[in-house]
PDB file of all heavy atoms in Angstrom:
ATOM      1  N   SER C   7      11.720 -18.285  -5.217  1.00 94.00           N
ATOM      2  CA  SER C   7      12.196 -16.997  -4.691  1.00 94.00           C
ATOM      3  C   SER C   7      11.456 -15.829  -5.352  1.00 94.00           C
ATOM      4  O   SER C   7      11.157 -14.823  -4.694  1.00 94.00           O
ATOM      5  CB  SER C   7      13.707 -16.859  -4.907  1.00 94.00           C
ATOM      6  OG  SER C   7      14.018 -16.672  -6.275  1.00 94.00           O
ATOM      7  N   ILE C   8      11.129 -15.979  -6.643  1.00 95.00           N
ATOM      8  CA  ILE C   8      10.372 -14.938  -7.346  1.00 95.00           C
ATOM      9  C   ILE C   8       8.985 -14.778  -6.719  1.00 95.00           C
ATOM     10  O   ILE C   8       8.544 -13.657  -6.431  1.00 95.00           O
ATOM     11  CB  ILE C   8      10.240 -15.266  -8.849  1.00 95.00           C
ATOM     12  CG1 ILE C   8      11.610 -15.240  -9.526  1.00 95.00           C
ATOM     13  CG2 ILE C   8       9.298 -14.281  -9.541  1.00 95.00           C
ATOM     14  CD1 ILE C   8      11.610 -15.820 -10.927  1.00 95.00           C
ATOM     15  N   VAL C   9       8.315 -15.909  -6.485  1.00 95.00           N
ATOM     16  CA  VAL C   9       6.959 -15.867  -5.909  1.00 95.00           C
ATOM     17  C   VAL C   9       6.970 -15.221  -4.533  1.00 95.00           C
ATOM     18  O   VAL C   9       6.155 -14.336  -4.228  1.00 95.00           O
ATOM     19  CB  VAL C   9       6.373 -17.300  -5.822  1.00 95.00           C
ATOM     20  CG1 VAL C   9       5.048 -17.288  -5.067  1.00 95.00           C
ATOM     21  CG2 VAL C   9       6.169 -17.877  -7.215  1.00 95.00           C
ATOM     22  N   VAL C  10       7.921 -15.616  -3.679  1.00 95.00           N
ATOM     23  CA  VAL C  10       7.992 -15.086  -2.304  1.00 95.00           C
ATOM     24  C   VAL C  10       8.287 -13.586  -2.318  1.00 95.00           C
ATOM     25  O   VAL C  10       7.643 -12.806  -1.607  1.00 95.00           O
ATOM     26  CB  VAL C  10       9.060 -15.845  -1.488  1.00 95.00           C
ATOM     27  CG1 VAL C  10       9.293 -15.157  -0.132  1.00 95.00           C
ATOM     28  CG2 VAL C  10       8.636 -17.289  -1.264  1.00 95.00           C
ATOM     29  N   THR C  11       9.240 -13.160  -3.153  1.00 95.00           N
ATOM     30  CA  THR C  11       9.612 -11.741  -3.199  1.00 95.00           C
ATOM     31  C   THR C  11       8.480 -10.881  -3.752  1.00 95.00           C
ATOM     32  O   THR C  11       8.181  -9.815  -3.211  1.00 95.00           O
ATOM     33  CB  THR C  11      10.883 -11.545  -4.055  1.00 95.00           C
ATOM     34  OG1 THR C  11      11.900 -12.433  -3.615  1.00 95.00           O
ATOM     35  CG2 THR C  11      11.403 -10.116  -3.938  1.00 95.00           C
ATOM     36  N   VAL C  12       7.838 -11.350  -4.826  1.00 95.00           N
ATOM     37  CA  VAL C  12       6.725 -10.591  -5.414  1.00 95.00           C
ATOM     38  C   VAL C  12       5.581 -10.461  -4.416  1.00 95.00           C
ATOM     39  O   VAL C  12       5.025  -9.364  -4.232  1.00 95.00           O
ATOM     40  CB  VAL C  12       6.227 -11.258  -6.720  1.00 95.00           C
ATOM     41  CG1 VAL C  12       4.908 -10.640  -7.162  1.00 95.00           C
ATOM     42  CG2 VAL C  12       7.260 -11.097  -7.828  1.00 95.00           C
ATOM     43  N   LEU C  13       5.205 -11.548  -3.755  1.00 96.00           N
ATOM     44  CA  LEU C  13       4.091 -11.512  -2.799  1.00 96.00           C
ATOM     45  C   LEU C  13       4.412 -10.617  -1.600  1.00 96.00           C
ATOM     46  O   LEU C  13       3.548  -9.877  -1.118  1.00 96.00           O
ATOM     47  CB  LEU C  13       3.746 -12.923  -2.330  1.00 96.00           C
ATOM     48  CG  LEU C  13       3.057 -13.828  -3.366  1.00 96.00           C
ATOM     49  CD1 LEU C  13       2.825 -15.223  -2.799  1.00 96.00           C
ATOM     50  CD2 LEU C  13       1.737 -13.217  -3.828  1.00 96.00           C
ATOM     51  N   THR C  14       5.648 -10.677  -1.108  1.00 95.00           N
ATOM     52  CA  THR C  14       6.038  -9.830   0.027  1.00 95.00           C
ATOM     53  C   THR C  14       5.984  -8.352  -0.351  1.00 95.00           C
ATOM     54  O   THR C  14       5.414  -7.527   0.376  1.00 95.00           O
ATOM     55  CB  THR C  14       7.458 -10.190   0.503  1.00 95.00           C
ATOM     56  OG1 THR C  14       7.526 -11.583   0.804  1.00 95.00           O
ATOM     57  CG2 THR C  14       7.837  -9.389   1.738  1.00 95.00           C
ATOM     58  N   SER C  15       6.583  -8.031  -1.491  1.00 94.00           N
ATOM     59  CA  SER C  15       6.592  -6.637  -1.947  1.00 94.00           C
ATOM     60  C   SER C  15       5.177  -6.145  -2.242  1.00 94.00           C
ATOM     61  O   SER C  15       4.809  -5.010  -1.903  1.00 94.00           O
ATOM     62  CB  SER C  15       7.464  -6.512  -3.198  1.00 94.00           C
ATOM     63  OG  SER C  15       7.546  -5.176  -3.622  1.00 94.00           O
ATOM     64  N   PHE C  16       4.360  -6.997  -2.863  1.00 95.00           N
ATOM     65  CA  PHE C  16       2.980  -6.613  -3.194  1.00 95.00           C
ATOM     66  C   PHE C  16       2.154  -6.374  -1.930  1.00 95.00           C
ATOM     67  O   PHE C  16       1.334  -5.446  -1.884  1.00 95.00           O
ATOM     68  CB  PHE C  16       2.319  -7.705  -4.039  1.00 95.00           C
ATOM     69  CG  PHE C  16       0.882  -7.395  -4.393  1.00 95.00           C
ATOM     70  CD1 PHE C  16       0.582  -6.493  -5.405  1.00 95.00           C
ATOM     71  CD2 PHE C  16      -0.161  -8.004  -3.703  1.00 95.00           C
ATOM     72  CE1 PHE C  16      -0.744  -6.197  -5.720  1.00 95.00           C
ATOM     73  CE2 PHE C  16      -1.488  -7.725  -4.019  1.00 95.00           C
ATOM     74  CZ  PHE C  16      -1.773  -6.813  -5.027  1.00 95.00           C
ATOM     75  N   THR C  17       2.366  -7.179  -0.899  1.00 95.00           N
ATOM     76  CA  THR C  17       1.635  -7.000   0.362  1.00 95.00           C
ATOM     77  C   THR C  17       1.933  -5.634   0.981  1.00 95.00           C
ATOM     78  O   THR C  17       1.026  -4.908   1.406  1.00 95.00           O
ATOM     79  CB  THR C  17       2.001  -8.114   1.364  1.00 95.00           C
ATOM     80  OG1 THR C  17       1.681  -9.382   0.785  1.00 95.00           O
ATOM     81  CG2 THR C  17       1.248  -7.942   2.672  1.00 95.00           C
ATOM     82  N   ILE C  18       3.221  -5.278   1.013  1.00 94.00           N
ATOM     83  CA  ILE C  18       3.615  -3.960   1.540  1.00 94.00           C
ATOM     84  C   ILE C  18       3.035  -2.850   0.662  1.00 94.00           C
ATOM     85  O   ILE C  18       2.502  -1.843   1.157  1.00 94.00           O
ATOM     86  CB  ILE C  18       5.151  -3.848   1.619  1.00 94.00           C
ATOM     87  CG1 ILE C  18       5.685  -4.834   2.661  1.00 94.00           C
ATOM     88  CG2 ILE C  18       5.580  -2.420   1.960  1.00 94.00           C
ATOM     89  CD1 ILE C  18       7.188  -4.952   2.684  1.00 94.00           C
ATOM     90  N   GLY C  19       3.097  -3.035  -0.656  1.00 93.00           N
ATOM     91  CA  GLY C  19       2.552  -2.043  -1.585  1.00 93.00           C
ATOM     92  C   GLY C  19       1.052  -1.866  -1.429  1.00 93.00           C
ATOM     93  O   GLY C  19       0.535  -0.746  -1.509  1.00 93.00           O
ATOM     94  N   PHE C  20       0.340  -2.968  -1.192  1.00 95.00           N
ATOM     95  CA  PHE C  20      -1.120  -2.902  -1.033  1.00 95.00           C
ATOM     96  C   PHE C  20      -1.502  -2.146   0.239  1.00 95.00           C
ATOM     97  O   PHE C  20      -2.464  -1.365   0.240  1.00 95.00           O
ATOM     98  CB  PHE C  20      -1.706  -4.312  -1.008  1.00 95.00           C
ATOM     99  CG  PHE C  20      -3.210  -4.342  -0.961  1.00 95.00           C
ATOM    100  CD1 PHE C  20      -3.960  -3.966  -2.067  1.00 95.00           C
ATOM    101  CD2 PHE C  20      -3.871  -4.736   0.195  1.00 95.00           C
ATOM    102  CE1 PHE C  20      -5.354  -3.979  -2.027  1.00 95.00           C
ATOM    103  CE2 PHE C  20      -5.261  -4.763   0.244  1.00 95.00           C
ATOM    104  CZ  PHE C  20      -5.996  -4.377  -0.873  1.00 95.00           C
ATOM    105  N   LEU C  21      -0.760  -2.349   1.321  1.00 95.00           N
ATOM    106  CA  LEU C  21      -1.014  -1.618   2.569  1.00 95.00           C
ATOM    107  C   LEU C  21      -0.779  -0.122   2.378  1.00 95.00           C
ATOM    108  O   LEU C  21      -1.561   0.715   2.855  1.00 95.00           O
ATOM    109  CB  LEU C  21      -0.127  -2.166   3.693  1.00 95.00           C
ATOM    110  CG  LEU C  21      -0.428  -3.604   4.157  1.00 95.00           C
ATOM    111  CD1 LEU C  21       0.610  -4.071   5.162  1.00 95.00           C
ATOM    112  CD2 LEU C  21      -1.829  -3.696   4.754  1.00 95.00           C
ATOM    113  N   LEU C  22       0.300   0.219   1.668  1.00 93.00           N
ATOM    114  CA  LEU C  22       0.573   1.638   1.381  1.00 93.00           C
ATOM    115  C   LEU C  22      -0.480   2.216   0.439  1.00 93.00           C
ATOM    116  O   LEU C  22      -0.859   3.390   0.556  1.00 93.00           O
ATOM    117  CB  LEU C  22       1.973   1.784   0.777  1.00 93.00           C
ATOM    118  CG  LEU C  22       3.146   1.493   1.724  1.00 93.00           C
ATOM    119  CD1 LEU C  22       4.457   1.484   0.953  1.00 93.00           C
ATOM    120  CD2 LEU C  22       3.199   2.524   2.841  1.00 93.00           C
ATOM    121  N   PHE C  23      -0.949   1.419  -0.505  1.00 94.00           N
ATOM    122  CA  PHE C  23      -2.020   1.815  -1.418  1.00 94.00           C
ATOM    123  C   PHE C  23      -3.265   2.235  -0.623  1.00 94.00           C
ATOM    124  O   PHE C  23      -3.850   3.296  -0.864  1.00 94.00           O
ATOM    125  CB  PHE C  23      -2.336   0.647  -2.352  1.00 94.00           C
ATOM    126  CG  PHE C  23      -3.631   0.756  -3.104  1.00 94.00           C
ATOM    127  CD1 PHE C  23      -3.734   1.533  -4.243  1.00 94.00           C
ATOM    128  CD2 PHE C  23      -4.758   0.064  -2.660  1.00 94.00           C
ATOM    129  CE1 PHE C  23      -4.934   1.628  -4.940  1.00 94.00           C
ATOM    130  CE2 PHE C  23      -5.967   0.154  -3.347  1.00 94.00           C
ATOM    131  CZ  PHE C  23      -6.049   0.941  -4.490  1.00 94.00           C
ATOM    132  N   LEU C  24      -3.671   1.425   0.334  1.00 93.00           N
ATOM    133  CA  LEU C  24      -4.832   1.741   1.171  1.00 93.00           C
ATOM    134  C   LEU C  24      -4.582   2.982   2.029  1.00 93.00           C
ATOM    135  O   LEU C  24      -5.468   3.831   2.197  1.00 93.00           O
ATOM    136  CB  LEU C  24      -5.175   0.553   2.067  1.00 93.00           C
ATOM    137  CG  LEU C  24      -5.647  -0.733   1.358  1.00 93.00           C
ATOM    138  CD1 LEU C  24      -5.843  -1.854   2.365  1.00 93.00           C
ATOM    139  CD2 LEU C  24      -6.938  -0.478   0.566  1.00 93.00           C
ATOM    140  N   PHE C  25      -3.366   3.094   2.562  1.00 92.00           N
ATOM    141  CA  PHE C  25      -3.017   4.229   3.427  1.00 92.00           C
ATOM    142  C   PHE C  25      -3.144   5.556   2.690  1.00 92.00           C
ATOM    143  O   PHE C  25      -3.792   6.493   3.168  1.00 92.00           O
ATOM    144  CB  PHE C  25      -1.588   4.035   3.953  1.00 92.00           C
ATOM    145  CG  PHE C  25      -1.092   5.164   4.813  1.00 92.00           C
ATOM    146  CD1 PHE C  25      -1.436   5.230   6.151  1.00 92.00           C
ATOM    147  CD2 PHE C  25      -0.278   6.153   4.273  1.00 92.00           C
ATOM    148  CE1 PHE C  25      -0.980   6.275   6.948  1.00 92.00           C
ATOM    149  CE2 PHE C  25       0.188   7.197   5.060  1.00 92.00           C
ATOM    150  CZ  PHE C  25      -0.165   7.259   6.406  1.00 92.00           C
ATOM    151  N   PHE C  26      -2.528   5.650   1.511  1.00 89.00           N
ATOM    152  CA  PHE C  26      -2.550   6.916   0.766  1.00 89.00           C
ATOM    153  C   PHE C  26      -3.918   7.184   0.141  1.00 89.00           C
ATOM    154  O   PHE C  26      -4.294   8.341  -0.059  1.00 89.00           O
ATOM    155  CB  PHE C  26      -1.456   6.914  -0.307  1.00 89.00           C
ATOM    156  CG  PHE C  26      -0.070   7.042   0.262  1.00 89.00           C
ATOM    157  CD1 PHE C  26       0.798   5.957   0.267  1.00 89.00           C
ATOM    158  CD2 PHE C  26       0.352   8.235   0.823  1.00 89.00           C
ATOM    159  CE1 PHE C  26       2.064   6.070   0.806  1.00 89.00           C
ATOM    160  CE2 PHE C  26       1.631   8.353   1.367  1.00 89.00           C
ATOM    161  CZ  PHE C  26       2.480   7.267   1.358  1.00 89.00           C
ATOM    162  N   LEU C  27      -4.660   6.134  -0.150  1.00 89.00           N
ATOM    163  CA  LEU C  27      -6.006   6.310  -0.679  1.00 89.00           C
ATOM    164  C   LEU C  27      -6.944   6.860   0.398  1.00 89.00           C
ATOM    165  O   LEU C  27      -7.861   7.637   0.109  1.00 89.00           O
ATOM    166  CB  LEU C  27      -6.535   4.972  -1.198  1.00 89.00           C
ATOM    167  CG  LEU C  27      -7.708   5.000  -2.173  1.00 89.00           C
ATOM    168  CD1 LEU C  27      -7.348   5.766  -3.445  1.00 89.00           C
ATOM    169  CD2 LEU C  27      -8.130   3.579  -2.527  1.00 89.00           C
ATOM    170  N   PHE C  28      -6.702   6.480   1.639  1.00 89.00           N
ATOM    171  CA  PHE C  28      -7.563   6.901   2.744  1.00 89.00           C
ATOM    172  C   PHE C  28      -7.237   8.331   3.195  1.00 89.00           C
ATOM    173  O   PHE C  28      -8.132   9.148   3.393  1.00 89.00           O
ATOM    174  CB  PHE C  28      -7.411   5.936   3.928  1.00 89.00           C
ATOM    175  CG  PHE C  28      -8.185   6.342   5.145  1.00 89.00           C
ATOM    176  CD1 PHE C  28      -9.566   6.176   5.199  1.00 89.00           C
ATOM    177  CD2 PHE C  28      -7.538   6.906   6.234  1.00 89.00           C
ATOM    178  CE1 PHE C  28     -10.285   6.560   6.329  1.00 89.00           C
ATOM    179  CE2 PHE C  28      -8.242   7.295   7.362  1.00 89.00           C
ATOM    180  CZ  PHE C  28      -9.618   7.121   7.411  1.00 89.00           C
ATOM    181  N   PHE C  29      -5.947   8.671   3.343  1.00 85.00           N
ATOM    182  CA  PHE C  29      -5.579   9.971   3.900  1.00 85.00           C
ATOM    183  C   PHE C  29      -5.596  11.105   2.870  1.00 85.00           C
ATOM    184  O   PHE C  29      -5.761  12.265   3.228  1.00 85.00           O
ATOM    185  CB  PHE C  29      -4.202   9.890   4.566  1.00 85.00           C
ATOM    186  CG  PHE C  29      -4.233   9.233   5.914  1.00 85.00           C
ATOM    187  CD1 PHE C  29      -3.879   7.899   6.055  1.00 85.00           C
ATOM    188  CD2 PHE C  29      -4.640   9.927   7.027  1.00 85.00           C
ATOM    189  CE1 PHE C  29      -3.919   7.279   7.288  1.00 85.00           C
ATOM    190  CE2 PHE C  29      -4.687   9.325   8.277  1.00 85.00           C
ATOM    191  CZ  PHE C  29      -4.316   7.989   8.409  1.00 85.00           C
ATOM    192  N   ARG C  30      -5.376  10.794   1.607  1.00 82.00           N
ATOM    193  CA  ARG C  30      -5.519  11.750   0.511  1.00 82.00           C
ATOM    194  C   ARG C  30      -4.893  13.116   0.814  1.00 82.00           C
ATOM    195  O   ARG C  30      -3.707  13.204   1.143  1.00 82.00           O
ATOM    196  CB  ARG C  30      -6.994  11.877   0.106  1.00 82.00           C
ATOM    197  CG  ARG C  30      -7.583  10.562  -0.414  1.00 82.00           C
ATOM    198  CD  ARG C  30      -9.077  10.647  -0.589  1.00 82.00           C
ATOM    199  NE  ARG C  30      -9.419  11.519  -1.703  1.00 82.00           N
ATOM    200  CZ  ARG C  30      -9.587  11.098  -2.956  1.00 82.00           C
ATOM    201  NH1 ARG C  30      -9.430   9.827  -3.250  1.00 82.00           N
ATOM    202  NH2 ARG C  30      -9.901  11.941  -3.913  1.00 82.00           N
ATOM    203  N   GLU C  31      -5.710  14.219   0.750  1.00 81.00           N
ATOM    204  CA  GLU C  31      -5.165  15.583   0.883  1.00 81.00           C
ATOM    205  C   GLU C  31      -4.627  15.884   2.281  1.00 81.00           C
ATOM    206  O   GLU C  31      -3.847  16.820   2.454  1.00 81.00           O
ATOM    207  CB  GLU C  31      -6.209  16.635   0.499  1.00 81.00           C
ATOM    208  CG  GLU C  31      -7.388  16.765   1.458  1.00 81.00           C
ATOM    209  CD  GLU C  31      -8.492  15.764   1.124  1.00 81.00           C
ATOM    210  OE1 GLU C  31      -8.336  15.007   0.150  1.00 81.00           O
ATOM    211  OE2 GLU C  31      -9.500  15.765   1.839  1.00 81.00           O
ATOM    212  N   ARG C  32      -5.012  15.093   3.290  1.00 84.00           N
ATOM    213  CA  ARG C  32      -4.523  15.347   4.646  1.00 84.00           C
ATOM    214  C   ARG C  32      -3.005  15.194   4.726  1.00 84.00           C
ATOM    215  O   ARG C  32      -2.351  15.864   5.535  1.00 84.00           O
ATOM    216  CB  ARG C  32      -5.203  14.389   5.636  1.00 84.00           C
ATOM    217  CG  ARG C  32      -6.588  14.852   6.069  1.00 84.00           C
ATOM    218  CD  ARG C  32      -7.355  13.778   6.800  1.00 84.00           C
ATOM    219  NE  ARG C  32      -7.897  12.785   5.876  1.00 84.00           N
ATOM    220  CZ  ARG C  32      -8.730  11.813   6.225  1.00 84.00           C
ATOM    221  NH1 ARG C  32      -9.105  11.693   7.495  1.00 84.00           N
ATOM    222  NH2 ARG C  32      -9.192  10.963   5.339  1.00 84.00           N
ATOM    223  N   LEU C  33      -2.444  14.318   3.903  1.00 80.00           N
ATOM    224  CA  LEU C  33      -0.986  14.158   3.874  1.00 80.00           C
ATOM    225  C   LEU C  33      -0.281  15.378   3.281  1.00 80.00           C
ATOM    226  O   LEU C  33       0.865  15.660   3.614  1.00 80.00           O
ATOM    227  CB  LEU C  33      -0.620  12.920   3.057  1.00 80.00           C
ATOM    228  CG  LEU C  33      -0.900  11.561   3.704  1.00 80.00           C
ATOM    229  CD1 LEU C  33      -0.721  10.460   2.687  1.00 80.00           C
ATOM    230  CD2 LEU C  33       0.016  11.341   4.888  1.00 80.00           C
ATOM    231  N   ALA C  34      -0.983  16.100   2.408  1.00 81.00           N
ATOM    232  CA  ALA C  34      -0.367  17.237   1.727  1.00 81.00           C
ATOM    233  C   ALA C  34       0.026  18.343   2.694  1.00 81.00           C
ATOM    234  O   ALA C  34       0.982  19.091   2.449  1.00 81.00           O
ATOM    235  CB  ALA C  34      -1.315  17.790   0.671  1.00 81.00           C
TER     236      ALA C  34
END
């Protein structure tokens, strides 16, 4: 359960990481 939860949360976090890294000041 630890492995599944960590991987699921990390996948969502990685997608958000790419999103905010790409849009940068445009989100402001």
Side-chain angles (χ1 to χ4, degrees):
S7 71
I8 295 168
V9 173
V10 171
T11 309
V12 168
L13 288 177
T14 305
S15 183
F16 179 78
T17 301
I18 294 172
F20 185 71
L21 293 174
L22 291 172
F23 165 80
L24 295 175
F25 178 82
F26 288 108
L27 199 61
F28 176 75
F29 283 99
R30 298 171 70 91
E31 69 274 359
R32 278 168 283 188
L33 287 170

